[in-house]
Amino acid sequence: MTPKTTADGAASARAVGLPGARGAGPGRALWTTVAGIVLLALNLRPALVAVSPLTPVIGRDAGLSSAAISLLTSLPLLCFGLLAPVSPRLGRRLGMERALLVAMVLVVAGTLVRLLPNMVALFGGTVVIGAGIAIGNVLLPGLIKRDFPHRVGPMMGVYSMTLFAGAAAAAGFTVPLQHLSGLGWRAILTCWGALAVLALVVWLPQLRTRHRVPSGAAARAAHPVRGLWRQPLAWHVAAFMGVQSLTYYAATAWIPTLLENAGLGQGAAGWMLSFSSLLGIAGSFLAPVIAERRIPAGAVAVVSVLLGAAGITGLLAAPTGATYVWMTLLGFGQGGAISLAMLFIVQRAPDTRHVAQLSSMAQCFGYILAACGPLALGALHDATGDWTTPLLALLVLLAAQAVFGALAGRNRHVREDGPAQA
């Protein structure tokens, strides 16, 4: 760490009132906060993503139909969207630190509930986990905006990269862990709750944090932002979040099947998706860092769309001809788009209160739309009998995503009951 970075980090710690903000304390307090954010972010996907590779086993063991399995995997996205508007209220009532602690408690509780041997517990526990993750999804970007105002790009990169890494780990390690341990699927799903317990322990010291804010700001923080849903800039951010979520979840749900239909084996098709996710980790870190320091965020968003579109076009033209190339392009494009969607929420908001409200709006719209993606792409495939029409539909959506990204990337802020300001 350079002297300049150390000085800026200490200044940020003092500005937000971190414990021990004098002498040797700021560095340790700052890194404790970073560790807490990383562990919280690491828990925002695994408990739910781990279900996907186990769905064949769950379906056979529990006697679930394909429709019930689809509902089980779609429930988290619906929870993210439907419960997003509640999260800013919880943050205002409890404070962000305590609200995020509640989020991890819900994740732990939901994983324990799923141990019970009945379907009500499986679906109910998934809803509880989804509620906890919805709180974290909405509030963590605001926490980063508040505590790292001069390091938003790098910190959002770390946040997005950790999200991707957690999802990739759950997707890649769940089945091997089950084979190595010999545990049943309920116990394996519960094992991912251990990460949430660790996050709880590391996050507890943040409850002693005191944030000194002016009385006027405190009074404003007690009330929601008004008029956000009437502002075009807020809708540009929400639309980019929604379309990128839809294309991401639709593509990841069906690409393995597409590759199998094209002649790849089941293991090879699954590996290609994992390979793409690994590259998405790098893309999710690099995109906000570049957007923060080098070129306009809107331009970075368009580049991420072009990378994803090139990958989809390759899968359309020759799915098994250069699969590693197509999945590399798609991974970088998807990873960059996801992190930019989070970065836009922070960049387009002037303060923490607006971040929470804009995050709630974007994620409510985005994840409800995303929940329709896999179903719509599957319906197109069933109706046409091939993958050409579904992939062309994804390319059309990516074109819209590029437009919304360019609009959301403009250097402006949303404002309460008024037009966006530069």
Side-chain angles (χ1 to χ4, degrees):
M1 181 179 288
T2 64
K4 181 181 184 301
T5 304
T6 303
D8 286 348
S12 297
R14 288 192 297 271
V16 298
L18 288 173
R22 284 175 282 190
R28 184 170 61 182
L30 194 65
W31 285 110
T32 300
T33 304
V34 171
I37 290 172
V38 167
L39 282 170
L40 289 173
L42 194 61
N43 279 280
L44 297 184
R45 294 298 180 269
L48 298 175
V49 172
V51 172
S52 295
L54 293 174
T55 49
V57 179
I58 295 172
R60 287 194 303 269
D61 183 60
L64 295 180
S65 65
S66 297
I69 289 291
S70 297
L71 177 61
L72 182 64
T73 54
S74 298
L75 265 179
L77 295 177
L78 292 173
C79 289
F80 295 170
L82 295 174
L83 299 178
V86 179
S87 301
R89 300 178 188 176
L90 188 66
R92 289 193 301 270
R93 181 176 293 273
L94 301 180
M96 278 201 282
E97 287 79 11
R98 286 177 172 79
L100 288 167
L101 186 75
V102 169
M104 287 301 101
V105 169
L106 289 173
V107 171
V108 173
T111 57
L112 292 175
V113 167
R114 291 197 303 200
L115 267 176
L116 300 175
N118 60 74
M119 289 304 100
V120 173
L122 176 61
F123 283 86
T126 299
V127 170
V128 173
I129 294 169
I133 293 174
I135 296 168
N137 283 342
V138 171
L139 295 185
L140 266 176
L143 187 84
I144 291 171
K145 174 84 168 182
R146 185 196 69 189
D147 288 3
F148 300 91
H150 306 299
R151 292 286 183 269
V152 168
M155 282 302 299
M156 289 304 296
V158 169
Y159 168 68
S160 302
M161 180 178 69
T162 307
L163 278 179
F164 239 98
F173 294 137
T174 297
V175 172
L177 283 174
Q178 185 188 28
H179 291 164
L180 286 172
S181 65
L183 295 173
W185 60 265
R186 296 181 194 276
I188 285 295
L189 288 178
T190 304
C191 287
W192 289 105
L195 278 176
V197 174
L198 178 60
L200 276 172
V201 172
V202 174
W203 192 249
L204 279 172
Q206 298 300 320
L207 301 185
R208 299 195 300 269
T209 300
R210 294 185 299 277
H211 295 277
R212 295 184 290 274
V213 295
S215 58
R220 289 192 300 273
H223 301 284
V225 175
R226 305 293 182 185
L228 201 62
W229 289 74
R230 296 192 296 270
Q231 295 190 36
L233 180 58
W235 275 107
H236 296 154
V237 173
F240 183 78
M241 177 75 181
V243 178
Q244 74 81 21
S245 297
L246 189 155
T247 56
Y248 171 77
Y249 285 104
T252 54
W254 289 108
I255 279 177
T257 304
L258 180 155
L259 292 175
E260 284 186 54
N261 293 164
L264 285 186
Q266 183 180 15
W271 159 245
M272 285 299 170
L273 185 60
S274 298
F275 174 75
S276 177
S277 296
L278 289 172
L279 293 172
I281 295 172
S284 65
F285 176 74
L286 291 172
V289 173
I290 294 171
E292 185 81 357
R293 296 184 177 181
R294 299 186 181 277
I295 60 178
V300 180
V302 172
V303 170
S304 74
V305 170
L306 290 175
L307 290 172
I312 294 295
T313 302
L315 290 172
L316 179 62
T320 59
T323 313
Y324 274 102
V325 176
W326 313 143
M327 299 309 288
T328 296
L329 293 168
L330 189 63
F332 274 112
Q334 288 180 332
I338 289 172
S339 61
L340 287 169
M342 298 295 180
L343 181 66
F344 288 155
I345 291 170
V346 176
Q347 283 187 332
R348 302 289 78 84
D351 54 38
T352 301
R353 187 170 67 111
H354 283 78
V355 170
Q357 209 73 29
L358 183 58
S359 181
S360 168
M361 173 183 172
Q363 296 194 50
C364 175
F365 176 78
Y367 284 119
I368 290 175
L369 187 63
C372 303
L375 295 174
L377 211 68
L380 275 177
H381 173 64
D382 289 343
T384 61
D386 59 37
W387 289 105
T388 301
T389 303
L391 291 178
L392 288 174
L394 284 180
L395 288 174
V396 171
L397 288 169
L398 285 170
Q401 183 178 321
V403 173
F404 292 130
L407 292 171
R410 293 175 297 170
N411 189 21
R412 297 183 177 186
H413 284 157
V414 296
R415 295 290 180 183
E416 187 167 7
D417 286 325
Q421 298 183 10

